[in-house]
Amino acid sequence: MRTVAVIGASLAGLSASRSLREQGYDGRLVIVGAETHRPYDRPPLSKEFLTGKVAEAELALEADGEDLAAEWVLGACAVGLETGERSVRLADGRAVRADGVVIATGAAARTLPGGDGPAGVHVLRTLDDARGLRDDLARGGRLVVIGGGFVGAEVASTAAVMGLDVTFVVAGPTPLAGPLGPDMAAAVSVLHADHGVRLLCGTGVRGLVGKGASPAVLPSGLRGAEATEVSGGAAGRGRVGAVVLDDGRSIPADIVVVGIGAVACTDWLEGSGVALDNGVRCGADGTTSVPGVVAVGDCAAWYDAASATHRRVEHWTGANERPAAAVAALLSGGTAPPAPPRPPYFWSDQYGVRIQFVGNAARADSVTVEDGSPADRSFLAVYRRAGEPVAVLGVDRTKLFTRRRKQLATSVARGATA
Amino acid sequence: MMNPACRLAGIPRGESCRLETGPPVAVFRTEDGEVYAIDDTCTHQDASLPDGWLEGREVEYPLHASKFDLRTGAVDAPPARLPVRTHQVLLEDGTVYVALSDAPPNLPPCVAARLAGGVA
Ligand SMILES: Cc1cc2nc3c(=O)[nH]c(=O)nc-3n(C[C@H](O)[C@H](O)[C@H](O)COP(=O)(O)OP(=O)(O)OC[C@H]3O[C@@H](n4cnc5c(N)ncnc54)[C@H](O)[C@@H]3O)c2cc1C
Ligand code: FES
């Protein structure tokens, strides 16, 4: 293999590039990234970056003086993959010929249908998004957060701690109901009320209203977490004034954050022959349907033996850890036996509380609090399926959580919970 | 100066103890019985390394998975980018002594700011 192209210059792409060098690949390495920035860390963007505690320079993922001997092609978007001759087409007409391709294009924030919306409406995925939101939050005012995922919950928390007046609108029964399961999600969601955030659950959003003169509701067509087709949406560039809920209530807003999930960036692979299905469909080691092409990070749906499905896991640790296995598969032509990946893990910081989760809550048939208590906002809960642990949640229980995480990883490696 | 830290018997293999120095220091005993001392706080964010995952001579930080080599303090992967400070350890008569390093610590910005503010 003489040339490897890594498409996507963020966490998963950087980790794959490092793995290539660590695993002895000494050929040409081309790293293509749509953003103009060197790889940076996203988790602080919904947390300390917004408060100003973490500055831009501290977001860098590369170590000082780190040199991967790579050709960086930044500010360049891949628009197509020719699998026959393995060449990646870029938006500016250039092409990168490569023997191996690592797809690491991640995901993009879902936006409200009908355009950008009025000023003051934000999504949060990139550094540029975060800069805009940070500047808006610094002015203070009333913030409405739409959507019950991690990014929404963290922005609500960060802004509340900064002193803004925050309303958090969630379509489901409670924020984080998907990843944590409804019971534990409810136990965690009391943190919002503890800190004076108004949590409105079980309601979709009908649209946004501009400030002052424009009384018309701009339909967002947003029901639940599902953004649907919308007519009009000519939002103009006035400033947002309110969010109108499905039940007709109008919530005044100076700033709106739309946190309704992220979509895998795989458009550029349409028609290439790489199998797609809510992300790039991969084996248990990141190999795709096309030899010489692997996929890693948020854009990749790896086969998960425990649940016998392809799962797109959108967490930092997987994007950092799993590329090593994908690179091993790429360099060995798929003959290296895949090591079972560690169970998916994520953390979230809300209101100074550390939330950690490992495993897959959807597989559980029971969940028990085994240490501490939700009333104290500090506890450990174990999720089981037929008596076997399949997931663990820790809320401000770092040490104990680490132990349980290790046990879960060990039992998965032994195949005990497969 | 050698500070008596704790009894060796007080740290089971694979465990650690924390010295309330300023900044705090963590003493680790590996599964093989070796003892190392490093700064307690991860260089990335405010959290205690002994809460992490000890594997061989490496401790994986409990939140974001950076790993530190107990012998050198070197970090293997992001998000941490700076090594953690190491301290010299001496074992005598079943007691662990630690000589605190006089190198500047690599504390995460939030902790450094708090210490500078005098609220240790
Ligand atoms: C605000 C925020 C907070 C988060 N907090 C946490 C947290 O607390 N804990 C946790 O576990 N996880 C968290 N995450 C998730 C974590 O950041 C992601 O899982 C991780 O960034 C995934 O890395 P990735 O490299 O796969 O994708 P991305 O980080 O999305 O990077 C993909 C890169 O590819 C580029 N790209 C896309 N399409 C193309 C193309 N066609 N051509 C070239 N380049 C392209 C993009 O511009 C982007 O730079 C958070 C995410 C966000 C957005
Ligand atoms: S706090 Fe140590 S790796 Fe993040």
Side-chain angles (χ1 to χ4, degrees), chain A residues 10-12 34-35 42 46-47 78 105-107 125 297-298 315-316 347:
Chain A
S10 183
L11 179 62
E35 294 181 74
R42 291 178 209 278
S46 50
K47 311 177 184 82
T105 43
R125 180 83 197 177
D298 281 12
H315 306 317
W316 196 98
W347 76 88

Side-chain angles (χ1 to χ4, degrees), chain B residues 42-47 61 63-66 68 79-80:
Chain B
C42 182
T43 61
H44 175 235
Q45 260 180 33
D46 183 10
Y61 181 70
L63 280 187
H64 313 137
S66 284
F68 295 89

Side-chain angles (χ1 to χ4, degrees), chain A residues 11 150 179 297-298 311 313-320 344-346 357:
Chain A
L11 179 62
F150 286 104
D298 281 12
R311 286 185 76 204
V313 176
E314 298 179 79
H315 306 317
W316 196 98
T317 307
N320 189 43
Y345 163 75
F346 64 78
F357 185 89

Side-chain angles (χ1 to χ4, degrees), chain A:
Chain A
M1 205 163 280
R2 295 173 51 186
T3 303
V4 174
V6 173
I7 312 302
S10 183
L11 179 62
L14 176 65
S15 174
S17 305
R18 282 180 170 145
S19 295
L20 279 161
R21 293 307 190 204
E22 276 160 19
Q23 295 179 27
Y25 171 73
D26 61 2
R28 183 171 173 236
L29 173 59
V30 185
I31 304 174
V32 178
E35 294 181 74
T36 53
H37 311 291
R38 297 291 283 212
Y40 61 87
D41 209 18
R42 291 178 209 278
L45 299 181
S46 50
K47 311 177 184 82
E48 308 88 349
F49 180 79
L50 295 178
T51 63
K53 249 200 202 166
V54 158
E56 263 173 46
E58 293 167 53
L59 298 177
L61 283 171
E62 293 164 280
D64 298 337
E66 178 171 7
D67 184 7
L68 291 166
E71 293 163 42
W72 293 82
V73 186
L74 298 178
C77 196
V79 293
L81 173 67
E82 249 66 74
T83 49
E85 52 172 25
R86 279 212 212 99
S87 122
V88 177
R89 259 184 306 117
L90 307 185
D92 60 11
R94 282 180 290 175
V96 181
R97 259 260 328 121
D99 309 301
V101 175
V102 179
I103 300 169
T105 43
R110 293 172 67 173
T111 50
L112 289 175
D116 283 347
V121 179
H122 301 264
V123 294
L124 181 54
R125 180 83 197 177
T126 65
L127 175 57
D128 298 338
D129 296 337
R131 283 176 181 159
L133 177 59
R134 178 193 58 192
D135 295 348
D136 247 5
L137 292 179
R139 286 193 223 130
R142 293 160 302 183
L143 168 71
V144 176
V145 178
I146 302 170
F150 286 104
V151 169
E154 289 177 0
V155 169
S157 147
T158 307
V161 171
M162 290 169 77
L164 278 86
D165 172 272
V166 184
T167 306
F168 187 16
V169 181
V170 174
T174 163
L176 309 182
L180 302 186
D183 296 345
M184 290 304 121
V188 168
S189 71
V190 293
L191 288 171
H192 299 292
D194 286 352
H195 294 82
V197 167
R198 270 181 308 281
L199 177 59
L200 305 179
C201 296
T203 175
V205 165
R206 192 185 294 167
L208 307 174
V209 195
K211 209 156 230 142
S214 56
V217 172
L218 305 167
S220 75
L222 190 72
R223 282 206 61 94
E226 287 304 315
T228 52
E229 197 57 54
V230 65
S231 56
R237 289 306 287 172
R239 205 174 161 88
V240 70
V243 173
V244 181
L245 305 183
D246 270 347
D247 58 17
R249 268 182 296 172
S250 169
I251 315 288
D254 306 302
I255 310 166
V256 172
V257 171
V258 180
I260 52 173
V263 196
C265 296
T266 52
D267 288 0
W268 66 284
L269 296 166
E270 299 285 351
S272 67
V274 172
L276 304 175
D277 179 10
N278 179 27
V280 181
R281 204 177 155 90
C282 298
D285 55 359
T287 47
T288 69
S289 58
V290 173
V293 179
V294 297
V296 293
D298 281 12
C299 67
W302 284 33
Y303 182 73
D304 171 40
S307 57
T309 52
H310 289 83
R311 286 185 76 204
R312 201 159 67 77
V313 176
E314 298 179 79
H315 306 317
W316 196 98
T317 307
N320 189 43
E321 271 173 12
R322 295 188 171 195
V327 161
L330 182 68
L331 294 178
S332 71
T335 59
R342 289 209 242 168
Y345 163 75
F346 64 78
W347 76 88
S348 176
D349 301 327
Q350 296 171 28
Y351 307 102
V353 173
R354 288 200 163 131
I355 299 163
Q356 296 175 277
F357 185 89
V358 62
N360 183 354
R363 295 190 60 231
D365 53 31
S366 75
V367 53
T368 359
V369 172
E370 301 208 340
D371 190 63
S373 103
D376 299 335
R377 315 300 188 238
S378 171
F379 64 96
L380 183 104
V382 179
Y383 299 64
R384 289 192 168 77
R385 180 191 183 88
E388 282 295 321
V390 292
V392 182
L393 166 69
V395 176
D396 259 352
R397 275 286 194 270
T398 312
K399 183 154 192 149
L400 193 57
F401 177 85
T402 304
R403 291 215 180 127
R404 304 306 290 256
R405 180 180 169 205
K406 198 168 171 176
Q407 285 167 4
L408 197 65
T410 320
S411 66
V412 166
R414 280 201 318 265
T417 59

